Amino acid sequence: MVFTWTAHRFSGGALALDVANSVILRFDPARRVDRFADVPALDAFAGAANRFCAEAPRFGALLPVAERNRARLLTLRETTDRHFRALTRDEQRPELLADLLEVIAAVLRGNGKDGSALDTATAHSALGLAANPEPDRLKICPNCGWLFLDRSRNRSRTWCDMAVCGNRSKAKRHYHRSKEEVQG
Ligand SMILES: [Zn+2]
């Protein structure tokens, strides 16, 4: 089956979180999938983000990350995930924020005015979230492990995407240990 980026895969509510969510089931080493490990999928992410990412209009037309900057994007992704995941647990981990800010600085320094590149835009997105954290809106989907911003008025969202993870979780309760997999 050919992998495609769908609207579901942009449930994070911010570009930096959607990038972090390119790893599915982080908490389960046996089943985790890194969608950016596949270079064509990584290159296709920017175009899909233009269509589906809630924050994309802020950045204009996003372009794929340059080959020489791919490794740094992955470092940015991992430091983003570690910092914001710790934030959901209300952990005081200033070193994680420092790590994230260092990578953001490196991306911005390296890319200069190339603001439409995926890595530059992701750095700006992560910086915005880090500067104005919303810990009561930042959540982790209990089904797939993705980070997302709960923008609902009463902050009642449980799932990254009710139509996918909510339904799968219901199905799991009914058909325990069925073959259903998280849509990664
Ligand atoms: Zn989910």
Side-chain angles (χ1 to χ4, degrees):
M1 200 174 74
V2 177
F3 171 78
T4 49
W5 295 104
T6 57
H8 163 64
R9 299 172 201 279
F10 293 86
S11 302
L15 180 63
L17 300 183
D18 291 332
V19 166
N21 294 343
S22 62
V23 179
I24 294 99
L25 298 170
R26 278 180 183 275
F27 53 83
D28 185 345
R31 292 196 300 151
R32 62 182 288 167
V33 180
D34 178 357
R35 290 296 177 193
F36 282 180
D38 178 43
V39 170
L42 169 57
D43 285 344
F45 180 90
N50 286 321
R51 288 182 65 196
F52 300 125
C53 174
E55 202 184 12
R58 184 183 154 197
F59 302 112
L62 289 168
L63 298 172
V65 62
E67 187 177 351
R68 67 181 183 283
N69 294 335
R70 275 184 200 143
R72 199 169 53 197
L73 173 69
L74 299 187
T75 307
L76 175 60
R77 178 185 70 177
E78 296 309 301
T79 51
T80 296
D81 189 86
R82 278 195 288 273
H83 169 66
F84 290 107
R85 212 165 278 273
L87 210 61
T88 66
R89 294 189 293 257
D90 204 20
E91 289 176 14
Q92 301 301 313
R93 300 282 301 275
E95 78 281 11
L96 296 183
L97 176 59
D99 289 348
L100 175 59
L101 293 176
E102 275 174 10
V103 183
I104 289 172
V107 170
L108 298 182
R109 205 173 274 130
N111 288 16
K113 292 176 182 167
D114 189 8
S116 55
L118 175 65
D119 49 339
T120 315
T122 304
H124 280 289
S125 172
L127 184 60
L129 286 180
N132 298 295
E134 297 179 89
D136 9 328
R137 292 198 185 276
L138 186 65
K139 296 183 178 179
I140 295 175
C141 175
N143 190 49
C144 68
W146 283 355
L147 287 160
F148 67 93
L149 286 170
D150 178 359
R151 292 277 176 219
S152 66
R153 188 182 299 206
N154 51 5
R155 299 173 200 183
S156 58
R157 261 174 78 187
T158 301
W159 315 101
C160 69
D161 184 340
M162 182 64 211
V164 177
C165 283
N167 284 341
R168 274 163 205 249
S169 176
K170 266 190 235 160
K172 264 187 207 160
R173 281 201 296 274
H174 289 292
Y175 305 104
H176 189 54
R177 301 185 72 80
S178 77
K179 290 263 179 205
E180 273 200 280
E181 292 291 322
V182 170
Q183 182 181 344

